[in-house]
Amino acid sequence: MSVTSLPMPITKVGIVGSGIMGSGIAEVAACAGHEVVLRSRQAEAAEGAVARLEKSLGRQVDKGRLTDEERQATLARLTPTSDLGELADCDIVIESIVEDMAPKRHLFNELDPICKNHTILATHTTTLPVVELAMETGRPEKVCGIHFFNPAPVMALVEVVRPLTANDETIAAARAFAEACGKHAVEVKDQAGFIVNALLFPYLNNAVRLLEAGVASKEDIDEAMKGGCGFPMGPLALLDLVGLDTSVAILDALFAEFHDPNFAPAPLLRRMVAAQHLGRKTGVGFYDYPS
């Protein structure tokens, strides 16, 4: 009789990147009982991410979703740092930096000799080839993708991405980690866009094309998709939430892999990015967001 081994236990989690997704994943992991090291290049940025997380937890206390004791216990499990060496004892390190292959490659090359042999190195990329990051390390079998959705504390799905190099133990441990964080994990092969973005971004892109063509106003396009399809948010408002620069980067990566015209970013998207009208992060996108 064969014996199926259990996934490697994950107790200590490293997060590299203190932006919206990095701090969101840190909150999810800490709330689930994991010890979390949150690393940013500047100590002030890491500490600022923890401060934002503290406010988020405070709102949950106000809504009765957490007790104050649970809030304090969660914060006690968080360690902000600017030192990559602080990640040495982590069981898994999740990279959540800028969606650009060059800095991601450099980071994985740096992490490999720092982290212990058993450590899983995971990327939070939305479209880039995970296998290329795996091959920057001496442990390609222990590299995978773990894609949370924004906002990470709210969204239930995690895509666990299996590159050609990953072994079954790595994928099982990544799935178990996501599920321990209260998420529903789906496994997907290492292909641009995975499941959700490969289906979502042609829809978002075509909404911009409708606006460019003058078919309807931005408000009516968004209302039509909410009222007609039951979506909680219209496509143009969703683009503002994702960030127009991030959206163009995702579409470019999809187009580079598949050469499908539906993935070619609408000209208006590129012009808005050039104008730094990036959505919620800059306060102006398809809609205005007063600070």
Side-chain angles (χ1 to χ4, degrees):
M1 181 178 69
S2 63
V3 177
T4 302
S5 60
L6 294 174
M8 182 192 80
I10 291 174
T11 57
K12 189 171 184 179
V13 179
I15 310 290
V16 183
S18 59
I20 291 172
M21 290 309 304
S23 57
I25 298 167
E27 178 177 340
V28 167
C31 284
H34 297 95
E35 186 180 350
V36 177
V37 180
L38 179 59
R39 188 266 182 179
S40 185
R41 285 180 296 177
Q42 284 89 33
E44 297 81 4
E47 291 163 1
V50 172
R52 292 194 303 274
L53 196 153
E54 186 172 5
K55 289 182 181 178
S56 174
L57 294 173
R59 289 193 293 271
Q60 293 186 51
V61 172
D62 292 341
K63 294 176 182 178
R65 296 173 183 167
L66 283 180
T67 66
D68 191 57
E69 291 76 14
E70 289 170 330
R71 179 188 67 85
Q72 292 181 42
T74 299
L75 289 171
R77 290 191 286 268
L78 283 160
T79 302
T81 185
S82 59
D83 181 8
L84 274 180
E86 292 288 325
L87 304 170
D89 292 331
C90 292
D91 301 308
I92 188 169
V93 175
I94 303 172
E95 164 273 314
S96 183
I97 64 172
V98 62
E99 188 72 350
D100 186 301
M101 184 57 84
K104 288 182 188 290
R105 282 178 182 270
H106 180 71
L107 176 61
F108 273 68
N109 192 272
E110 283 188 297
L111 286 171
D112 190 40
I114 290 171
C115 296
K116 292 187 174 180
N117 291 336
H118 76 273
T119 303
I120 294 171
L121 301 181
T123 175
H124 187 258
T125 183
T126 55
T127 50
L128 298 176
V130 178
V131 70
E132 293 189 20
L133 299 175
M135 297 310 292
E136 287 294 318
T137 76
R139 64 182 83 196
E141 75 285 353
K142 299 194 76 64
V143 176
C144 67
I146 298 181
H147 181 213
F148 286 77
F149 289 80
N150 186 27
V154 176
M155 299 296 282
L157 182 68
V158 170
E159 292 176 319
V160 175
V161 185
R162 181 193 285 263
L164 291 171
T165 49
N167 61 27
D168 291 343
E169 291 77 13
T170 295
I171 300 304
R175 288 192 71 133
F177 165 69
E179 289 163 1
C181 289
K183 304 301 182 183
H184 179 75
V186 295
E187 183 181 332
V188 57
K189 76 175 183 178
D190 185 16
Q191 176 177 292
F194 313 136
I195 298 170
V196 174
N197 284 342
L199 294 172
L200 174 64
F201 274 85
Y203 153 67
L204 298 179
N205 198 34
N206 282 315
V208 180
R209 289 174 176 161
L210 287 177
L211 181 65
E212 281 184 310
V215 172
S217 69
K218 61 190 177 185
E219 293 86 0
D220 283 350
I221 290 170
D222 279 358
E223 284 302 317
M225 294 312 295
K226 289 193 292 182
C229 295
F231 293 169
M233 181 179 288
L236 302 175
L238 181 54
L239 281 163
D240 279 354
L241 178 63
V242 172
L244 273 62
D245 53 342
T246 301
S247 300
V248 167
I250 291 170
L251 285 164
D252 280 340
L254 288 164
F255 185 77
E257 180 145 335
F258 301 112
H259 301 286
D260 184 329
N262 276 315
F263 294 133
L268 178 57
L269 275 177
R270 291 202 188 279
R271 286 174 172 78
M272 292 177 73
V273 170
Q276 290 295 294
H277 294 177
L278 307 182
R280 288 178 182 267
K281 66 175 77 175
T282 58
V284 60
F286 290 103
Y287 299 93
D288 294 333
Y289 303 91
S291 56

